[in-house]
Amino acid sequence: MLKTGKLFRLRRLSLAGDGRHLLVPLDHSVSDGPIVPADKWDDLLRALVDGGADGVIVHKGRARAFAPDILKNCALVVHLSASTAHSADVHAKVLVADVEEALRLGADAVSVHVNIGSDTEARQLADLGAVARSCDAWGMPLIAMIYPRGPRITDPRDPALLAHLANVAADLGADMVKTSVALPLERMAEVVADSPIPILAAGGPPDGSDLVEYGTAVMAAGCRGLAIGRRIFSAPSPGALVSRLASVVHGRYPGSGTDISTNSPTDYSTIVAGVA
């Protein structure tokens, strides 16, 4: 029954039911400060939902403030990790919530942030493992946001390093991994080939180039979705941008003859069974 519960929740993270995901992280208000004025939060959320986002990622307190109907067609992911830009070590993430709190909020999944190569890597890995145990106990999907960040990282876009990170996430119990994208972008296919779990491409292109072209490239490389926050919520029309990205994730690649529906969707039942 617990495995069935996790399977149901994983499927709610993909509105089209194709095992692909467009998630919008909005947890930046803890790390960096307000992303929109307080009275504009509902407007932003409605624009994202109407645009076709599969889910939003927020901290627990923000989730409590949502209007009851606002996420009726969008999944809720509660982020359990935090740090601020004012910390002595901005790469040191700590747990500020737990799986039980997320369940009480009606979450469809939780996420945990880990910075590999940071001075506090060991504690963050221990936190990820502990959350994974709770997720297994409660049938809650776990997204590991795992990045190569810290004084020991020389090339954060190295495909071999990113493949290592994806396997760390899988081996410690995550159901999906959100991580950086290799450069050049086509080398992301190497990372995907080595990952036992679906990969969500984080952020946007580092050179600030077109976000839709970036999304097209990483989906073509085999990523199972996009997790983009700042480039969306700071856009002049977040809803319109989400709509274009949703077409990339769930439809046809813009300007090409490639139909991504011909790619095999994720079989979540094998992930839940622990044999992916």
Side-chain angles (χ1 to χ4, degrees):
M1 291 176 62
L2 292 176
K3 289 182 178 180
T4 300
K6 179 178 278 195
L7 183 59
F8 287 162
R9 292 184 179 98
L10 279 166
R11 287 175 173 162
R12 286 201 291 269
L13 291 172
S14 178
L15 293 178
D18 57 6
R20 300 182 180 94
H21 316 273
L22 174 57
L23 304 183
V24 184
L26 301 172
D27 55 297
H28 304 68
S29 49
V30 168
S31 56
D32 301 317
I35 62 175
V36 292
D39 63 350
K40 298 298 182 183
W41 259 92
D42 281 4
D43 292 341
L44 173 62
L45 288 168
R46 293 187 192 283
L48 299 177
V49 173
D50 291 344
D54 292 291
V56 296
I57 303 173
V58 297
H59 284 282
K60 59 183 181 181
R62 190 70 61 177
R64 295 190 187 108
F66 291 167
D69 68 329
I70 208 160
L71 295 182
K72 60 184 178 181
N73 295 316
C74 184
L76 171 64
V77 181
V78 173
H79 194 42
L80 307 184
S81 306
S83 69
T84 77
H86 310 290
S87 171
D89 181 0
V90 297
H91 302 306
K93 298 292 181 178
V94 298
L95 292 180
V96 293
D98 58 36
V99 174
E100 290 82 359
E101 288 177 290
L103 281 166
R104 289 194 292 271
L105 289 165
D108 299 291
V110 296
S111 57
V112 173
H113 187 137
V114 176
N115 288 320
I116 296 295
S118 68
D119 290 335
T120 59
E121 174 190 302
R123 189 190 70 223
Q124 294 178 53
L125 288 174
D127 287 343
L128 177 60
V131 170
R133 284 195 300 274
S134 291
C135 284
D136 283 343
W138 290 105
M140 176 70 81
L142 171 59
I143 302 170
M145 301 184 181
I146 188 163
Y147 304 100
R149 293 176 182 170
R152 294 158 191 82
I153 302 300
T154 57
D155 181 6
R157 300 289 179 170
D158 175 38
L161 175 59
L162 295 173
H164 183 187
L165 268 58
N167 277 266
V168 168
D171 288 343
L172 294 188
D175 300 290
M176 286 187 276
V177 56
K178 170 189 176 219
T179 194
S180 305
V181 171
L183 290 179
L185 287 180
E186 55 266 24
R187 295 202 65 187
M188 196 62 190
E190 302 169 30
V191 183
V192 171
D194 286 333
S195 178
I197 58 177
I199 293 179
L200 306 178
D207 61 0
S209 56
D210 185 80
L211 200 56
V212 174
E213 291 182 4
Y214 164 83
T216 300
V218 297
M219 293 299 294
C223 290
R224 286 296 176 181
L226 306 174
I228 301 173
R230 191 182 310 278
R231 287 285 299 270
I232 289 178
F233 64 69
S234 63
S237 179
L241 180 54
V242 164
S243 180
R244 295 177 67 201
L245 292 171
S247 294
V248 169
V249 171
H250 296 294
R252 297 178 67 87
Y253 296 138
S256 80
T258 303
D259 185 348
I260 65 174
S261 65
T262 61
N263 296 337
S264 298
T266 303
D267 183 355
Y268 288 121
S269 62
T270 61
I271 296 173
V272 173
V275 297

